[in-house]
Each structure stands twice: as structure tokens, then as C-alpha cells.
Amino acid sequence: MLPKYLITDQPSTCPICGTRTDIVADFLHTAQKLSINECLNTQCKHVFFEVEDN
């Protein structure tokens, strides 16, 4: 199972290197309420998803 990261009111940062991220896909309007993010660091490029806190 993949780790889940919570969406906050602060800009998202990569959990690996701490660099800002870009939202690749936004599914906040669905029942899943999640967004997919990609690290902007060209050496890292970690992709992860964030979910809304219930």
C-alpha cells in the first residue's frame, strides 16, 4: 500500500527532497478527493498523491 499524504493549506512539497511540487491531476471534485503531485526537482521527480483529511 502506498503512503498517503494529507492536503494542507500550504503549497505541497516533495516528501523525499522537500522541493515544491506540481499538481499533475486533481480529483478533489470526486468521492476520492485526492490530487496527484510530481516533484519539480529534475533529480528527484517523485510522484505521490495527497488526500483530504476526513
Side-chain angles (χ1 to χ4, degrees):
M1 179 174 214
L2 295 173
K4 295 179 183 175
Y5 301 97
L6 296 179
I7 295 173
T8 65
D9 60 344
Q10 299 298 314
S12 297
T13 57
C14 176
I16 304 294
C17 70
T19 303
R20 296 276 301 265
T21 62
D22 188 23
I23 297 175
V24 177
D26 181 356
F27 299 100
L28 295 173
H29 60 284
T30 67
Q32 297 298 323
K33 302 229 185 285
L34 64 90
S35 68
I36 300 172
N37 298 276
E38 180 180 28
C39 178
L40 293 174
N41 181 341
T42 57
Q43 300 298 315
C44 181
K45 291 299 214 183
H46 179 66
V47 175
F48 63 97
F49 68 93
E50 294 180 310
V51 295
E52 250 186 24
D53 189 15
N54 292 337

